Amino acid sequence: SIQLAEAYPHVYAAAGVHPEDALGLPVDWLDQVAEMTRHPKVKAIGEIGLDYHYEDNCPREIQIPAFERQLALAKELDIPVIIHPREAVNDTLALLKKYQPRGIVHCFSGSVEMAKEVLKLGMYIGFTGVLTFKNARKAVEVVQYAPADRLLIETDCPYMAPEPFRGRRNDPSLVPFVAKKIAALRGISAEAAAAATAENARRLFRI
C-alpha cells in the first residue's frame, strides 16, 4: 500500500493489523505499525477492529488486545482509525468509547441506534455498494439520519460492488453509483453528494 501511495500522487495508505490477522504476530508488530505511520502518505491506522464472524481464524481473546493496542497508538499519534466491527458491535463500541479515537466505522451495516453512538464519538460512517442493494434497509435509514458532514463513500474493494454490478470485482470507478444512491436518499444532486463526501474524507485524513 505504501509503495502504491509513493507511486501515485492521488493514492494514500493505511497501516494496521486486521482482526483476522492478529494471531501469531511478531513481538515488535506494534512498533512496525507505528513506524509505517511515520510515512507522510500513511493517513490512518487500519483496517482494525473485531471480527467475530471469522473467530475461528483468530479468537476474540487475541483480537481484543490487538485492537486495544492499536486504538491506544492511534490516540497517542493523533491519527485516525478505520474500524472493522463485524458481528462485534457491543465490544467494538465499548472500546471506541474507552479510547475515543478519530476515524471511521467502515462498511457500515448497523442500525440507526448504532450510528447514533458512533456519531456521538465524533466519528464518520462509511458506506459501500451495499447501500444500493434491495435489502439494505438499515443502511438506507442511517444515510437518511446521519448529518452530511459525517458520511463517507468507500469500495471495500474487491467486495461490495454496487448494483447493477453486484457480484463482480469492486473498484473505485464504481463509487459514483453509491454517491447517486446517497443523493437520491437525501434529495440532493449526485455532484453535491460526491463533493460533500470527498470533503469529509479530506478533513478526516488531513489530505
Side-chain angles (χ1 to χ4, degrees):
S1 295
I2 292 173
Q3 289 175 345
L4 287 170
E6 290 174 338
Y8 299 97
H10 62 287
V11 174
Y12 296 86
V17 175
H18 189 281
E20 288 185 59
D21 298 319
L23 188 64
L25 292 171
V27 174
D28 67 340
W29 70 270
L30 194 65
D31 292 334
Q32 291 186 43
V33 173
E35 180 62 29
M36 291 179 202
T37 66
R38 295 189 181 97
H39 192 286
K41 295 205 74 178
V42 173
K43 297 297 183 179
I45 292 179
E47 173 181 339
I48 64 174
L50 301 173
D51 192 320
Y52 294 168
H53 182 78
Y54 290 114
E55 194 175 352
D56 288 345
N57 294 350
C58 182
R60 65 184 68 185
E61 58 265 27
I62 301 294
Q63 291 187 34
I64 290 172
F67 184 29
E68 283 207 72
R69 293 183 70 185
Q70 291 178 98
L71 287 173
L73 178 65
K75 193 73 174 179
E76 176 188 340
L77 300 177
D78 189 27
I79 188 171
V81 290
I82 301 169
I83 300 296
H84 175 100
R86 191 172 187 182
E87 296 179 20
V89 170
N90 291 337
D91 287 350
T92 300
L93 283 176
L95 291 174
L96 292 179
K97 290 175 183 178
K98 178 179 178 179
Y99 290 94
Q100 300 192 11
R102 295 190 301 115
I104 171 178
V105 176
H106 107 105
C107 197
F108 195 85
S109 59
S111 63
V112 169
E113 288 69 29
M114 180 184 177
K116 288 178 180 178
E117 297 302 314
V118 171
L119 293 167
K120 284 179 187 176
L121 294 169
M123 299 186 75
Y124 293 72
I125 299 174
F127 294 93
T128 66
V130 169
L131 183 65
T132 68
F133 297 173
K134 290 180 181 178
N135 62 347
R137 179 183 57 82
K138 289 193 290 185
V140 164
E141 291 174 351
V142 173
V143 164
Q144 293 171 322
Y145 167 80
D149 65 353
R150 292 291 162 175
L151 299 178
L152 291 174
I153 300 174
E154 55 176 309
T155 62
D156 199 27
C157 175
Y159 311 110
M160 307 299 183
E163 297 288 1
F165 305 99
R166 187 174 182 178
R168 63 165 268 188
R169 187 182 191 278
N170 201 2
D171 65 59
S173 71
L174 303 181
V175 162
F177 290 88
V178 185
K180 289 177 184 177
K181 183 66 174 184
I182 289 175
L185 291 171
R186 296 181 68 89
I188 59 176
S189 70
E191 291 78 11
T197 52
E199 176 57 32
N200 292 345
R202 285 190 288 267
R203 184 188 319 115
L204 171 60
F205 297 116
R206 295 176 178 172
I207 297 171

